[in-house]
Amino acid sequence: MQQSHGMAWYQTALWIHLILAGWLSGAVQDDTPTEPDDPIERVESQATLDIPDSDQDLTDLSLEDLMNIEVISVTRGENDTLFRAPAALYVIRDEDIRRNGFLTIPEQLRTVPGLFVGRIDGNKWAISAREQASRFSQHMLVQMDGRTLFTPLFSGVYWEEKDYVLEDIDRIEVVRGPGATLWGSNAINGIINIVSKPARETQGLLFKIGGGTEYSGFSTLRYGGQWDEGAFRLYGKYMETDQTANMNSRYSDDSGLGQGGFRIDWDGQENMRFTLQGDAFRGRFSENWSVPDVLAGTNVIYPIDATNEGWNLLGRLNQTYSDVAQGTLQMYYDYTGTHTPLPGDDLETQVHIVDFDYQFNYMFTEEHKLVAGLGYRHEWDQFQRSSKIYFIDDEMAFDIYTGFVQDTIPLIDKQLYLTLGTKLEYNEYTDLEYQPSARLAWMPDDKQTVWASVSRAVGLPGSIQKYGRVAVQAIMPGVVMRFRGSDDIQYEEVLAWELGYRIMPRQNLTFDFAAFYNQYDRLIAFKEVGFLYYEVTNTKSGDIYGFEASTQWQPTDYWRLASSYSIQDIQYDDPDTGFEDDVPTNQVKMQSWVDITPEVEWNTGLYYYDNIAGLGVPAHTIMNTGVTWHMNPNADLAIWGQNLLDNQHPEFGADPYIGSVNSEIQRGIYASLTLRF
């Protein structure tokens, strides 16, 4: 009962904020357009677009202009805007990234309405939208400049090794809901698309250094230069994190990650642009694995230092054929390797991915747009088996062939649009798959958008779910609980229905609402095929429905507020097979950005998560606040406090695959100095 009262308090606070926002906005600003002269007003929108050769400065735009800047997340084409996009779209811009005060990409995602972000330990995360959560939430597709960050081994993302210079990220686009028609399988419940800035926008030398109690130390060095036809940048960075609190000081989950890379943009001809970029990383991640002792019939927790490394190289050619037609050819190679020293034997994996993608855009008219494409991906996996986890083959290779088409048709010019499309995908896991969608957007005026969609998307199983073997835990001497993958495993499927509404009642106020109903079939589950022996199956099905609301409000020239509330309910047909209680039902997020003076800003975030009953995680609220002093145009000093409301708290449970130790995230503080030359 106390928990429900606490949740009611947060809901009441949110709706009071929404009502006051609408009432007070009329008192602080009329409808007369004004030219913003304060930095916080000039960064009001949640959208941006990487348009080469554009003379437009985003920081000079009003809120109304920014809400109508072109975005590409939903259509993979130009001339679409955030305000009229027929999807639940949210964009974290570069200015938001700086003001949020987070040091990692997973933490930046906390601000997204409806997206659950739970820290498992000092270096691992569970991130999901509109579903249950786990370390490997396999229904969220993640990309970095068009390169998929999804690992085919576990059908998820190793968030601990995904890093970049945050100052060089242009935006993080997050689509909640299926996007498989354009982006392919595993984009069942959302897409996270990280886009870096062109090299011309990151010129000169940037040096950043800092440290604190939980982030022990971090540093970044980046240099950018240019010539007549192009530009480049080089970077290197390193970060160390301290261990979190757990039941025994013997167990550690600290980490250290180093990464470097480059980007070159070249305008060879007037109608051609070429980008070449690459990254390389190596990290040490402390973990605590529960390894069964078969003879003793017990489970021994071993603290280990896992090593992850990898590198990638991507090339992209943009060709303009005419005023109405253009094409993009992209190719990349990605390698990742892991080494986990276990007692008696080591677990090693290597994943190689070669990917080709071609996209063609054609405009029949200014409002009628067609986008189509073809793709091919080759995956080659190598393993060194261990007694804890192994695969039935030491080497495996897979090929995926894709093709897609999407047409945006104006039914009523500048008011009503119908978007139809589908993606065909042939893979060696489940053969041929089709993933169609239909989206409708209605703009009765330039201040409102009503949209609806219905989509079918599929998720491919990971290698471990098809060919893996895992020793989970020892029950008694000679008896171990195990699970095995199944060669008969099929794709997971969702039929998603969505309805949304956006409104800008005043130039300093926006609202965004989205409701969804997802029908799932053939979800991954486990069935007992022998005594304490479980096999992966597709026997789980059910429904998930929910609602998401967010608002932004600029009460004054120097103060901006954002808030969101989301609720979801998961109902599986067979509760015994599911994890419907492994995600919070309610989430509330509030942010405040204040310019105290032109040189000093104060930024705060408040993030409430309902209890996670299935993992025994109580409801908790995370509060971060920080002050940044712009000492001069080339130097910033920032001090941030994190998790300030309690000494420590759990955010998620242990990893079920490795049986790691439950950890609690501690209160912390850090300081950073950023210099530009």
Side-chain angles (χ1 to χ4, degrees):
M1 183 62 68
Q2 291 178 347
Q3 175 56 44
S4 62
H5 287 167
M7 187 62 242
W9 183 91
Y10 279 97
Q11 292 173 320
T12 302
L14 174 66
W15 289 112
I16 290 176
H17 169 67
L18 296 178
I19 294 172
L20 288 177
W23 179 69
L24 290 176
S25 61
V28 300
Q29 180 173 322
D30 58 25
D31 289 332
T32 304
T34 59
E35 183 68 19
D37 59 1
D38 188 273
I40 197 165
E41 185 176 2
R42 296 197 301 263
V43 298
E44 186 62 28
S45 172
Q46 289 294 324
T48 184
L49 177 66
D50 179 7
I51 307 176
D53 303 324
S54 174
D55 294 327
Q56 188 178 49
D57 184 359
L58 295 179
T59 61
D60 291 335
L61 299 178
S62 67
L63 171 58
E64 185 175 16
D65 292 333
L66 285 167
M67 290 301 293
N68 287 284
I69 286 182
E70 294 175 350
V71 293
I72 59 175
S73 296
V74 182
T75 63
R76 285 184 73 162
E78 297 181 4
N79 301 323
D80 198 8
T81 68
L82 168 65
F83 195 73
R84 73 177 195 176
L89 173 65
Y90 189 88
V91 181
I92 308 172
R93 299 174 307 105
D94 55 349
E95 180 71 3
D96 301 322
I97 290 173
R98 186 185 63 80
R99 284 185 175 266
N100 290 338
F102 296 122
L103 297 177
T104 65
I105 291 175
E107 287 178 307
Q108 291 288 343
L109 298 173
R110 282 198 191 276
T111 63
V112 179
L115 191 68
F116 170 69
V117 177
R119 193 169 180 180
I120 300 174
D121 60 19
N123 54 67
K124 297 177 185 61
W125 303 82
I127 299 176
S128 68
R130 301 179 174 182
E131 64 159 344
Q132 69 218 37
S134 69
R135 180 187 176 189
F136 299 106
S137 297
Q138 61 189 43
H139 297 160
M140 179 72 67
L141 183 65
V142 184
Q143 297 186 124
M144 175 72 183
D145 286 333
R147 176 175 57 90
T148 299
L149 304 185
F150 213 72
T151 175
L153 285 181
F154 298 96
S155 197
V157 177
Y158 285 107
W159 284 106
E160 60 268 28
E161 64 184 32
K162 307 309 178 187
D163 197 12
Y164 204 71
V165 177
L166 296 183
E167 289 80 2
D168 292 349
I169 294 179
D170 184 68
R171 64 193 185 273
I172 304 175
E173 302 183 358
V174 181
V175 178
R176 305 183 307 279
T181 296
L182 295 177
W183 304 104
S185 58
N186 296 105
I188 288 183
N189 288 325
I191 303 163
I192 298 173
N193 191 13
I194 306 165
V195 182
S196 67
K197 296 177 180 178
R200 287 193 183 275
E201 296 183 12
T202 55
Q203 295 298 291
L205 182 66
L206 180 142
F207 176 66
K208 182 175 183 178
I209 190 170
T213 58
E214 302 308 305
Y215 289 96
S216 307
F218 51 89
S219 61
T220 299
L221 182 65
R222 183 257 289 155
Y223 177 75
Q226 59 183 325
W227 68 98
D228 291 342
E229 297 179 341
F232 71 91
R233 69 167 170 260
L234 306 169
Y235 79 89
K237 66 175 302 185
Y238 183 77
M239 175 181 288
E240 287 190 351
T241 63
D242 193 18
Q243 69 181 59
T244 59
N246 53 56
M247 67 181 72
N248 191 321
S249 60
R250 174 173 174 260
Y251 307 135
S252 178
D253 53 13
D254 62 331
S255 65
L257 176 64
Q259 179 167 311
F262 73 95
R263 172 166 173 160
I264 301 172
D265 295 321
W266 176 58
D267 299 330
Q269 301 177 11
E270 183 178 353
N271 61 347
M272 184 182 298
R273 300 184 305 275
F274 179 71
T275 295
L276 180 67
Q277 62 189 81
D279 311 278
F281 73 89
R282 182 177 178 83
R284 173 196 56 80
F285 304 98
S286 296
E287 300 180 289
N288 305 285
W289 282 50
S290 176
V291 180
D293 185 330
V294 179
L295 296 179
T298 60
N299 301 284
V300 182
I301 298 179
Y302 290 92
I304 60 175
D305 284 333
T307 302
N308 294 16
E309 62 182 10
W311 64 275
N312 63 81
L313 185 66
L314 179 147
R316 182 170 51 251
L317 177 65
N318 296 289
Q319 176 77 48
T320 300
Y321 305 119
S322 68
D323 292 339
V324 297
Q326 58 181 304
T328 301
L329 176 64
Q330 176 179 281
M331 299 172 286
Y332 72 80
Y333 169 78
D334 190 303
Y335 162 79
T336 56
T338 66
H339 174 78
T340 305
L342 296 173
D345 50 18
D346 295 347
L347 172 65
E348 292 190 6
T349 67
Q350 296 183 23
V351 179
H352 309 259
I353 298 177
V354 178
D355 187 279
F356 297 85
D357 182 87
Y358 177 74
Q359 177 180 320
F360 177 75
N361 293 74
Y362 187 82
M363 297 181 62
F364 296 99
T365 67
E366 183 180 354
E367 302 293 325
H368 187 184
K369 298 166 291 185
L370 177 74
V371 58
L374 297 171
Y376 167 73
R377 177 176 299 174
H378 176 74
E379 301 174 1
W380 174 36
D381 305 332
Q382 298 173 286
F383 314 98
Q384 177 177 307
R385 61 178 58 198
S386 73
S387 58
K388 172 70 175 178
I389 298 177
Y390 67 92
F391 296 82
I392 58 175
D393 293 321
D394 293 336
E395 291 190 14
M396 294 184 292
F398 310 97
D399 295 299
I400 300 177
Y401 305 86
T402 62
F404 74 90
V405 61
Q406 181 169 279
D407 195 7
T408 300
I409 307 166
L411 302 180
I412 301 177
D413 191 35
K414 300 187 184 301
Q415 282 195 334
L416 186 63
Y417 299 86
L418 175 64
T419 301
L420 300 174
T422 190
K423 182 146 191 162
L424 298 177
E425 181 173 289
Y426 178 81
N427 64 83
E428 298 180 34
Y429 281 120
T430 62
D431 295 330
L432 183 64
E433 306 295 347
Y434 66 97
Q435 301 178 82
S437 71
R439 297 180 182 273
L440 192 66
W442 174 46
M443 284 74 68
D445 53 50
D446 60 356
K447 302 293 185 183
Q448 299 180 80
T449 297
V450 182
W451 61 270
S453 71
V454 56
S455 309
R456 179 184 184 270
V458 302
L460 299 183
S463 297
I464 194 170
Q465 295 162 338
K466 199 171 181 69
Y467 305 112
R469 303 291 188 266
V470 179
V472 182
Q473 60 179 325
I475 305 301
M476 61 183 68
V479 179
V480 177
M481 179 186 295
R482 303 177 184 271
F483 92 75
R484 71 186 186 196
S486 171
D487 191 48
D488 297 326
I489 200 75
Q490 296 296 310
Y491 59 85
E492 299 177 289
E493 178 185 6
V494 64
L495 182 63
W497 306 81
E498 297 178 89
L499 180 65
Y501 177 58
R502 296 187 186 93
I503 183 171
M504 184 185 298
R506 296 185 180 276
Q507 288 181 309
N508 67 339
L509 181 65
T510 64
F511 294 96
D512 196 333
F513 305 97
F516 64 92
Y517 173 53
N518 295 351
Q519 298 171 286
Y520 292 89
D521 196 16
R522 288 189 290 270
L523 291 177
I524 297 295
F526 299 93
K527 70 174 181 180
E528 191 169 4
V529 294
F531 179 63
L532 295 177
Y533 203 177
Y534 295 84
E535 184 177 72
V536 178
T537 67
N538 292 106
T539 58
K540 187 166 63 174
S541 60
D543 302 330
I544 300 178
Y545 54 91
F547 174 75
E548 300 154 351
S550 63
T551 179
Q552 290 191 71
W553 176 40
Q554 177 93 31
T556 71
D557 290 343
Y558 53 84
W559 188 19
R560 178 162 61 104
L561 293 166
S563 60
S564 68
Y565 169 71
S566 62
I567 183 172
Q568 69 174 23
D569 186 57
I570 304 177
Q571 298 291 334
Y572 290 130
D573 294 340
D574 184 359
D576 293 335
T577 67
F579 301 90
E580 59 262 38
D581 293 332
D582 288 1
V583 71
T585 300
N586 298 277
Q587 297 183 65
V588 178
K589 304 178 181 183
M590 298 181 181
Q591 294 167 279
S592 171
W593 301 271
V594 180
D595 284 346
I596 300 175
T597 72
E599 294 80 25
V600 179
E601 62 186 44
W602 175 30
N603 305 305
T604 302
L606 195 68
Y607 312 95
Y608 169 83
Y609 299 95
D610 207 350
N611 69 302
I612 307 177
L615 300 176
V617 176
H620 57 278
T621 302
I622 298 170
M623 179 180 176
N624 301 334
T625 190
V627 175
T628 300
W629 175 29
H630 304 289
M631 296 183 287
N632 58 59
N634 299 319
D636 298 336
L637 178 64
I639 300 177
W640 276 84
Q642 299 176 303
N643 300 302
L644 296 178
L645 298 184
D646 51 31
N647 290 329
Q648 61 191 56
H649 63 263
E651 293 186 11
F652 203 71
D655 189 319
Y657 285 112
I658 65 176
S660 57
V661 177
N662 287 316
S663 297
E664 296 192 358
I665 312 305
Q666 298 169 291
R667 177 185 292 137
I669 186 173
Y670 79 84
S672 67
L673 175 66
T674 304
L675 303 175
R676 304 173 188 87
F677 303 95

